[in-house]
Amino acid sequence: MPHAVDHRAILARFAPTRGGDGKIFQDIEPARLAHIVVDMQNGFMEEGAPVEVPMARTIVDNINRISAAIRASGGHNVFLRYTTPPDDGPSWSNFMVRMGSKAQGHQEAFTPGAHHWQLWPALEVAANDTVIDKHRFSGFTPGTCMLHAVLQDRGIDTVLITGTLTNCCCESTARDAMQHNYRVLMAGDAMAALSDEEHAATLHNMAFVFADLYSTDEIVGLLGG
């Protein structure tokens, strides 16, 4: 089962000042919506993987349901894939320092073509979906990912975040998306962290400033599924 965190209770804190159910955006246009699936790769999903997130295995069905609803409604799915930065790219030496003795193994695991770099096989990726490599936690870090340019080319103004880890790459991407002036939605039961507490902390932060919170059922209903 996905994380036992009630996103509606989090939103209820903000309803008195926002009205309704605490969400900001009520007029989602599917053609201008991109579903951003973050880092659902073998290296995060498999038992014993370098950055195993056990809860991530429980959210695959919800992500696939959302992806199907996005396609049916005329939206667009984008699968982000964490990729070891190239040697000739912008330096990220401080991350490697923080990884310590695990740095080399992490780099090797997410090198293009490696097994752990590949998307999780149970993830449903259609021919008209987009797969984009990113070299940082956020898909919007300048010079390290093509996500922003791809979304701008398609006229996207709203992004829906799913994937893993809730409190790292999902949160980083959502924060930056909002500051790039995208309207941001997050599906609470289609993201995964290492604990309920970490997952809930991110959802509180996101609802406070950065994003509207939804469940998978709410998203599918919103899109007419």
Side-chain angles (χ1 to χ4, degrees):
M1 294 289 292
H3 289 288
V5 176
D6 186 357
H7 72 286
R8 291 166 297 185
I10 296 171
L11 286 171
R13 297 175 53 205
F14 306 102
T17 56
R18 295 176 182 171
D21 57 7
K23 297 185 182 75
I24 299 293
F25 305 118
Q26 307 291 339
D27 56 339
I28 305 304
E29 184 180 346
R32 304 193 70 185
L33 171 65
H35 172 211
I36 310 299
V37 184
V38 180
D39 295 355
M40 294 292 284
Q41 298 161 259
N42 292 334
F44 298 95
M45 304 290 292
E46 287 183 348
E47 293 186 19
V51 195
E52 182 188 0
V53 186
M55 190 63 74
R57 293 189 287 273
T58 75
I59 64 171
V60 176
D61 287 346
N62 282 347
I63 290 176
N64 286 341
R65 284 185 62 206
I66 292 171
S67 296
I70 291 285
R71 294 184 198 104
S73 66
H76 190 58
N77 293 306
V78 178
F79 294 83
L80 294 184
R81 186 168 51 190
Y82 176 76
T83 303
T84 297
D87 292 337
D88 60 353
S91 175
W92 202 18
S93 59
N94 286 329
F95 175 51
M96 292 300 104
V97 170
R98 296 189 72 87
M99 290 293 294
S101 62
K102 297 180 180 179
Q104 183 174 350
H106 190 281
Q107 287 180 307
E108 293 172 354
F110 294 101
T111 296
H115 170 73
H116 286 121
W117 172 78
Q118 305 287 347
L119 293 174
W120 185 242
L123 203 64
E124 295 174 359
V125 183
N128 60 342
D129 296 335
T130 300
V131 180
I132 301 177
D133 293 341
K134 66 180 177 70
H135 300 140
R136 295 293 188 272
F137 297 146
S138 169
F140 290 97
T141 304
T144 66
C145 186
M146 294 297 296
L147 178 61
H148 182 52
V150 168
L151 298 184
Q152 291 296 287
D153 285 346
R154 296 185 68 95
I156 300 297
D157 68 2
T158 306
V159 296
L160 165 65
I161 308 294
T162 65
T164 197
L165 276 81
T166 309
N167 57 323
C168 187
C169 293
C170 292
E171 179 170 347
S172 297
T173 298
R175 286 175 179 267
D176 286 352
M178 181 267 190
Q179 295 184 90
H180 277 75
N181 206 37
Y182 291 96
R183 308 193 307 173
V184 183
L185 321 177
M186 301 185 88
D189 60 355
M191 295 188 296
L194 293 172
S195 70
D196 285 355
E197 292 77 13
E198 291 164 290
H199 182 76
T202 286
L203 295 189
H204 277 85
N205 289 338
M206 295 296 99
F208 176 55
V209 175
F210 296 95
D212 281 351
L213 307 182
Y214 284 85
S215 68
T216 295
D217 285 344
E218 288 171 336
I219 289 292
V220 172
L222 185 71
L223 296 174

